[in-house]
Amino acid sequence: MNMNFDFNNPTRILFGAGKLNELGDQAMPGKKAMVIISNGKSTKENGYLDRTLAQLERANVESVVWNGIMENPLKEAVMEGAAFAKDNGCDFLVALGGGAVLDSSVAISAMAANEGDLWDYVCGGTGKGKMLKNNGLPIVTITTTAGTGSEINCWGVISNLETKEKIGFGDPRLTPVLAVVDPELMRTVPPKYTAYQGFDALFHNTEVMMSKGVNILSETIALSAIEHIAKYLPRAVKDGNDLEAREHVAYGSTMAGMTMQLTSTTAQHSMEHSMSAYHHNLPHGAGLIMISKAFAEFFIERHACDEQFIKMAKAMGIEDADKPEDFITALVNLQEACGVADLRMSDYGFTPEESMTLAKGARSMQGGLFLANPCEMTDEDCAGIFEKSYR
Ligand SMILES: [Zn+2]
């Protein structure tokens, strides 16, 4: 067991049902907030926006609302949002929404305080990899989904349609200062998305467990998160108003955000980003689910980290697990219990012929995550996983 770690988790987390009502009691990191929401209707219709604005008023700050974020956020939206923050003299951001909104806020924070184009600062792909000159605007996050863990980390994934890239962007200076994780705000997420997002959270943790960089602390956090997600996600999918289930899944998701500060995820995430860069309508969690079985089997066949798979299978409810294949059993059981065992790549326009394109895309967009894999994975191996997953 690796006993070395470097843990910097500077976000204050207000966790639990009803916590949004305490936002107004907190010291805010500025005088004028840009409240970022998605371009959909739900944040307004569910009353979350009004409640947030009322809390900000109670905290004695001015606020302006900007609703320009879509699912799989685009570079253009980030640049528009940054211009909005500058034009309105906002000195901090309140990101209210799901992963897309939280991810975008990191990039908007950077570009509201720095010159040029986002791709000047993106590392990987066609990004120019420049360092940010200035700190970004401080960020407060209020998450309405349990999935990305973005509420407490300084990374966001942004798509560039022009270059067909989907790349993680971040800087430790962009870490949110305050995160409100209130499972009451998650009750309205539809079953299908509850499942996709819950599996995203699950895979953040399972990938940390498979990672070469796993250590005693990241493993402890990840195993706790896996246990709670596996036990409660089927209930949250079945009944969105099951607040107890929502709370446990949210815990697993936020803990994933934390354990990812310690240990990187693996190439499963690079592979999915390549999939949704080429097929923009594919939800991130759905893409991960599609390749997850073949991805784990690749390492199981090579005995790359047998013990880790056994520990995960136990955390997922197979108490007498004694072989790595038990993880696959637990994974498939959970997918079936959540109604997502039959997702098909062909439904999103994939063809078997593009496996190598996807593999090369994964390497060029996020090659770094391949280094976290527990054993080597070539482009041919990677294409083989896509082929095996195809249906
Ligand atoms: Zn993810």
Side-chain angles (χ1 to χ4, degrees):
M1 173 57 74
N2 176 7
M3 299 293 288
N4 298 289
F5 57 81
D6 174 350
F7 192 32
N8 182 19
N9 193 69
T11 309
R12 174 144 177 247
I13 306 170
L14 282 179
F15 185 95
K19 286 291 177 194
L20 177 59
N21 305 328
E22 295 174 25
L23 181 66
D25 304 323
Q26 315 305 317
M28 289 295 134
K31 295 251 173 288
K32 187 170 182 183
M34 170 176 168
V35 180
I36 305 174
I37 58 173
S38 81
N39 58 3
K41 292 187 200 130
S42 61
T43 328
K44 283 183 194 156
E45 280 177 357
N46 297 326
Y48 305 156
L49 178 62
D50 285 342
R51 287 176 59 192
T52 299
L53 294 175
Q55 291 295 323
L56 290 171
E57 202 181 322
R58 212 157 70 73
N60 286 318
V61 295
E62 253 188 276
S63 42
V64 281
V65 179
W66 184 73
N67 67 342
I69 298 301
M70 66 291 286
E71 193 175 339
N72 283 329
L74 300 176
K75 189 194 83 170
E76 285 71 25
V78 167
M79 295 309 299
E80 263 172 52
F84 183 93
K86 283 183 192 167
D87 293 348
N88 287 278
C90 299
D91 56 3
F92 75 107
L93 308 178
V94 175
L96 168 65
V101 168
L102 306 183
D103 274 14
S104 307
S105 72
V106 169
I108 291 173
S109 153
M111 295 319 298
N114 287 277
E115 296 299 319
D117 185 81
L118 178 65
W119 242 244
D120 294 341
Y121 303 99
V122 160
C123 298
T126 61
K128 295 197 183 122
K130 277 202 239 166
M131 284 291 289
L132 291 173
K133 210 169 141 201
N134 306 314
N135 292 341
L137 301 184
I139 305 171
V140 173
T141 58
I142 304 166
T143 181
T144 57
T145 63
T148 64
S150 310
E151 61 274 15
I152 60 165
N153 73 45
C154 63
W155 292 93
V157 181
I158 306 296
S159 296
N160 186 336
L161 283 184
E162 211 181 300
T163 59
K164 285 212 184 291
E165 290 173 307
K166 184 173 177 184
I167 299 188
F169 163 80
D171 182 299
R173 287 175 289 170
L174 305 173
T175 307
V177 293
L178 172 66
V180 178
V181 185
D182 182 345
E184 280 184 2
L185 308 184
M186 299 166 189
R187 287 197 289 202
T188 47
V189 179
K192 193 168 82 174
Y193 284 91
T194 299
Y196 294 165
Q197 292 156 5
F199 270 93
D200 183 25
L202 178 80
F203 295 132
H204 293 150
N205 292 294
T206 59
E207 290 178 44
V208 161
M209 285 296 290
M210 290 178 218
S211 170
K212 239 186 222 167
V214 69
N215 61 55
I216 187 162
L217 183 56
S218 58
E219 175 168 314
T220 304
I221 296 171
L223 281 175
S224 169
I226 289 167
E227 182 188 332
H228 287 265
I229 294 169
K231 187 165 174 197
Y232 290 96
L233 184 58
R235 271 175 55 182
V237 171
K238 208 167 165 199
D239 175 10
N241 282 310
D242 185 338
L243 199 57
E244 187 190 14
R246 290 280 188 197
E247 211 160 24
H248 285 267
V249 174
Y251 165 81
S253 173
T254 299
M255 288 304 106
M258 208 178 271
T259 197
M260 286 189 285
Q261 316 261 35
L262 284 153
T263 297
S264 154
T265 54
T266 62
Q268 182 170 241
H269 261 72
S270 324
M271 291 171 68
E272 196 297 311
H273 290 154
S274 180
M275 290 167 78
S276 45
Y278 283 96
H279 297 271
H280 200 64
N281 60 344
L282 175 68
H284 173 56
L288 291 169
I289 292 166
M290 290 170 183
I291 56 173
S292 58
K293 184 165 169 278
F295 184 81
E297 281 168 349
F298 177 84
F299 298 118
I300 289 172
E301 282 159 15
R302 285 157 184 80
H303 297 287
C305 55
D306 288 354
E307 279 305 311
Q308 298 304 91
F309 284 113
I310 295 168
K311 285 179 201 166
M312 288 193 279
K314 285 184 179 160
M316 293 170 82
I318 303 186
E319 279 166 27
D320 57 351
D322 58 1
K323 54 186 184 303
E325 289 80 4
D326 292 331
F327 172 75
I328 301 293
T329 308
L331 178 65
V332 172
N333 286 347
L334 187 60
Q335 290 181 356
E336 282 169 358
C338 296
V340 292
D342 299 318
L343 298 182
R344 287 152 28 133
M345 290 170 72
S346 54
D347 288 343
Y348 290 87
F350 288 86
T351 61
E353 290 73 39
E354 65 187 305
S355 297
M356 189 47 92
T357 309
L358 294 173
K360 290 201 187 299
R363 183 91 52 184
S364 80
M365 282 177 249
Q366 276 188 316
L369 297 187
F370 283 82
L371 304 175
N373 283 349
C375 73
E376 207 202 327
M377 181 183 279
T378 64
D379 286 349
E380 286 70 28
D381 295 332
C382 194
I385 292 171
F386 284 123
E387 271 157 35
K388 200 172 166 190
S389 306
Y390 186 83
R391 55 185 166 190

